[in-house]
Amino acid sequence: MKLMRYGAKGAEKPALIDADGAVRDLSGVLPDITGATLGKDGLATLAALDIASLPVVANPGRIAPPWKGVGKFLCVGLNYADHAAESGMAVPAEPVLFMKATSAIIGANDAVVMPQDSKKSDWEVELGVVIGTTARYVSEADALSHVAGYCVVNDLSEREYQLERGGQWDKGKGCDTFGPIGPWLVTSDEVADPQNLGLWLEVNGKRVQDGNTRTMVFGVANLVSYISRFMTLYPGDIISTGTPPGVGMGQKPSAVYLKPGDTMRLGISGLGEQRQTVHAWNPELIDG
């Protein structure tokens, strides 16, 4: 299934995408898509629905984050060797973990708003792994059974804040609007191999990232198992698994960063596409 939510901020409705690509409203079945929906029982209930009987949404308008109530927004740094090289950093011996603030989360096509005085805002297309059942000290062999599905993430980053202001990476990763998720959550039964997904990103129509999840340093199953040894993963938590090369910081002959008016288009095979326009600091675009 492809699960999604649509509607204005604070008034989102649950939906799914049928086999013909039409949006089908789920409001008569459940009030919203949450972590509880993503467990085996919740997904089984949705899978058993007569999809043809659900109302078609002809004009869904805003595409919201695919589920409500993300508990943890975990990220993995330097998880593609060639991205580590363009960043001037060594390939890590163990996964590098950091958090994005859940207040960074926006819909797939919502406005991206640069922080005040930002000069080094950057893009990163990533595979998002969404937890469906509680995972604590799980084996790598069992790890994927705890995954509800997958989605596209743009792990936007302010590089000055991340790398030049001291401390940990979080301050450059958790800025408002720096976590577009979606457009869909695609359940794991529709993703034959999470380690063979093409992912790409364009800025102003130019392809700058073009990679495949098969080149991850640490694969999805390894990451779920590894992280579950440091914290319990709950339904609705998301792991953003790292980005391939081609970020702005790594452009040659010199770095290229986002500026107001730039547009980003990004996607992952079978998981849909995102499109965002970059704006100068404007709190109304964040809160509206």
Side-chain angles (χ1 to χ4, degrees):
M1 289 180 292
K2 295 179 175 68
L3 301 177
M4 63 169 288
R5 295 164 70 241
Y6 69 97
K9 293 180 182 179
E12 294 91 344
K13 294 182 179 181
L16 56 75
I17 307 296
D18 69 16
D20 296 321
V23 177
R24 298 276 184 165
D25 186 80
L26 285 170
S27 298
V29 178
L30 73 169
D32 209 342
I33 298 171
T34 67
T37 313
L38 304 179
K40 289 182 172 59
D41 291 344
L43 293 180
T45 298
L46 293 179
L49 293 174
D50 177 10
I51 294 176
S53 69
L54 298 172
V56 173
V57 183
N59 297 296
R62 173 180 176 259
I63 305 302
W67 72 103
K68 178 183 179 181
V70 175
K72 291 192 284 294
F73 194 163
L74 290 149
C75 299
V76 183
L78 307 175
N79 198 29
Y80 290 73
D82 33 13
H83 170 58
E86 73 174 352
S87 302
M89 300 179 188
V91 175
E94 294 189 32
V96 173
L97 303 181
F98 60 92
M99 298 271 199
K100 286 181 87 80
T102 55
S103 55
I105 295 172
I106 58 172
N109 305 327
D110 285 347
V112 166
V113 181
M114 295 171 59
Q116 288 187 15
D117 304 318
S118 170
K119 298 180 179 63
K120 296 184 178 181
S121 289
D122 203 349
W123 57 84
E124 294 188 12
V125 60
E126 305 199 1
L127 173 67
V129 178
V130 187
I131 300 299
T133 59
T134 301
R136 181 184 294 125
Y137 291 102
V138 300
S139 69
E140 189 167 341
D142 292 335
L144 294 186
S145 69
H146 294 269
V147 174
Y150 303 90
C151 63
V152 182
V153 175
N154 191 350
D155 175 23
L156 287 143
S157 311
E158 214 301 341
R159 301 301 188 188
E160 180 190 3
Y161 299 178
Q162 177 191 359
L163 302 172
E164 301 173 29
R165 300 287 294 272
Q168 299 182 343
W169 288 5
D170 300 49
K171 68 180 73 171
K173 294 286 191 171
C175 305
D176 293 338
T177 77
F178 271 28
I181 293 175
W184 318 312
L185 185 161
V186 180
T187 52
S188 56
D189 59 298
E190 293 197 6
V191 180
D193 183 2
Q195 300 308 151
N196 189 24
L197 298 173
L199 63 171
W200 53 271
L201 185 146
E202 297 174 353
V203 178
N204 299 328
K206 178 184 177 181
R207 184 68 59 98
V208 289
Q209 289 189 277
D210 200 350
N212 192 290
T213 58
R214 64 174 170 262
T215 66
M216 283 182 182
V217 178
F218 306 102
V220 172
N222 180 287
L223 290 172
V224 173
S225 174
Y226 180 86
I227 295 170
S228 78
R229 284 160 168 71
F230 297 94
M231 65 195 78
T232 301
L233 297 171
Y234 291 105
D237 288 351
I238 180 171
I239 303 168
S240 198
T241 55
T243 196
V247 301
M249 179 175 62
Q251 296 296 307
K252 305 299 182 185
S254 59
V256 177
Y257 295 111
L258 295 168
K259 61 186 183 303
D262 284 347
T263 59
M264 291 174 286
R265 178 171 168 259
L266 58 148
I268 299 178
S269 303
L271 304 186
E273 296 183 10
Q274 300 182 357
R275 298 170 185 264
Q276 296 117 23
T277 298
V278 179
H279 297 262
W281 172 251
N282 183 345
E284 293 183 2
L285 291 175
I286 298 169
D287 300 327

